[in-house]
Amino acid sequence: MPERSSQPRRNLASEILSRLRADIISGVYKPGEALAEPVLARRFGMSRGPVREAMIELERAGLVQFEPTGRTRVRTMEEKDIAEIIEARVALESMGARLAAIRWSGEHSNWIEQNLAAQERAVGVTEFRKLDVAMHEYIMQCSGNERLGALWQNIRWQFEMAMTSVDRLQGRLARELHRFTIEGHRKVLAALAAREPAIAASTMAWHITSALEWTVPGTLDNLYQLPAFTGATGPRDWHASDEESSGTAARAGMNAKKPALKSRRRLREK
């Protein structure tokens, strides 16, 4: 009887999925670009079967869409998509931060500090966003709620894709947005380290919406009704001056000055 190989069997579909997902999120494949199975099969040197399986998983993840004609295209993120992603993130991550604050320790703070130091040194959009998402994923893991984490994983690829699209549109100003994002991360860490669940939840909600509210004007107003903002007394106008802020928003330091980012109108003119 021939000996069995000790090497694990390759999962071709998973390999293709991982590579295509990275290419879509990083912008190698642009929004709206067609993805032809025969072309991809030749690229990877594989049959069309594993490619088809990978495409199905990408469609489930919300990164591609199948057309009635049979074509597959990279999904284009519209304002409605970004708004829904923000709403879902606020709901999930504010609860994750609330639970994480209860369990928070010095070890957790050290991990975040190291991640933030790496964010400061990051070169390029892709490296920065990987560290950004890793930090948010870590906080969700610290919540101790596996089901909450699973729900978060269901949308993570979509918001990674959305953030990359925003960075690409910002061009040179993306660096300013990254600095603003890091400031928000430090405020989230401060709230978690203080082990104040309600403040950690509202700080996370403000952080998620603040950097993207300018993309879909009015998003922040719509989100005020969510439980994450319960008890928050920050200004209804995110652009309000520091003197107007008070209560939870001021305590959590959520009133940082926003960088001069491009407006939605200017983005449309590109």
Side-chain angles (χ1 to χ4, degrees):
M1 180 178 294
E3 294 184 2
R4 288 188 176 182
S5 173
S6 60
Q7 294 182 349
R9 184 180 178 183
R10 289 180 64 189
N11 188 324
L12 301 180
S14 293
E15 290 181 20
I16 297 173
L17 171 63
S18 179
R19 292 168 68 179
L20 284 177
R21 184 170 58 205
D23 286 346
I24 290 172
I25 290 174
S26 66
V28 173
Y29 291 112
K30 301 295 188 293
E33 185 173 345
L35 297 175
E37 289 182 19
V39 175
L40 293 174
R42 287 195 296 272
R43 173 192 167 185
F44 295 114
M46 300 178 185
S47 66
R48 292 177 60 174
V51 173
R52 181 62 178 173
E53 289 181 45
M55 299 291 254
I56 291 173
E57 290 301 317
L58 288 171
E59 194 273 337
R60 288 174 178 168
L63 300 185
V64 305
Q65 53 191 27
F66 298 143
E67 297 181 343
T69 59
R71 283 189 173 186
T72 303
R73 293 188 182 278
V74 177
R75 188 182 185 93
T76 299
M77 289 290 177
E78 305 292 347
E79 288 185 356
K80 178 178 181 293
D81 298 313
I82 295 176
E84 289 182 356
I85 290 170
I86 294 172
E87 291 170 352
R89 286 192 65 193
V90 166
L92 295 172
E93 294 195 43
S94 62
M95 178 55 73
R98 182 183 294 272
L99 295 175
I102 298 172
R103 302 169 171 82
W104 203 255
S105 68
E107 181 181 351
H108 297 144
S109 290
N110 290 337
W111 192 99
I112 298 294
E113 287 287 3
Q114 292 177 21
N115 178 277
L116 289 174
Q119 288 182 34
E120 295 278 7
R121 298 189 303 268
V123 178
V125 170
T126 301
E127 182 182 355
F128 176 81
R129 285 307 179 187
K130 283 183 179 179
L131 292 164
D132 179 8
V133 174
M135 192 207 76
H136 284 269
E137 183 175 29
Y138 182 77
I139 294 172
M140 293 301 292
Q141 291 171 350
C142 291
S143 74
N145 189 315
E146 294 183 4
R147 287 173 175 79
L148 191 68
L151 291 171
W152 182 86
Q153 288 290 344
N154 284 338
I155 63 166
R156 70 165 293 175
W157 306 116
Q158 293 183 49
F159 73 70
E160 281 198 57
M161 182 181 181
M163 288 189 297
T164 300
S165 296
V166 169
D167 285 334
R168 188 165 53 248
L169 288 170
Q170 284 300 304
R172 294 179 181 177
L173 288 177
R175 192 68 184 174
E176 293 299 317
L177 176 57
H178 293 175
R179 280 197 285 268
F180 181 68
T181 299
I182 293 173
E183 290 176 10
H185 290 165
R186 293 200 178 281
K187 293 173 177 59
V188 170
L189 173 58
L192 290 168
R195 301 193 66 181
E196 298 193 51
I199 294 179
S202 58
T203 305
M204 179 64 82
W206 278 93
H207 164 60
I208 293 171
T209 55
S210 64
L212 290 176
E213 196 274 337
W214 58 272
T215 307
V216 188
T219 300
L220 193 60
D221 287 336
N222 297 334
L223 293 175
Y224 260 94
Q225 304 306 315
L226 293 178
F229 287 100
T230 300
T233 55
R236 288 299 300 267
D237 180 5
W238 179 253
H239 303 280
S241 64
D242 289 352
E243 288 75 15
E244 297 175 45
S245 64
S246 60
T248 301
R251 290 172 62 194
M254 295 179 290
N255 226 24
K257 184 179 179 181
K258 290 179 64 177
L261 302 174
K262 296 179 184 177
S263 67
R264 179 177 59 162
R265 178 178 297 176
R266 288 180 64 191
L267 291 177
R268 285 178 170 175
E269 292 173 351
K270 286 289 182 181

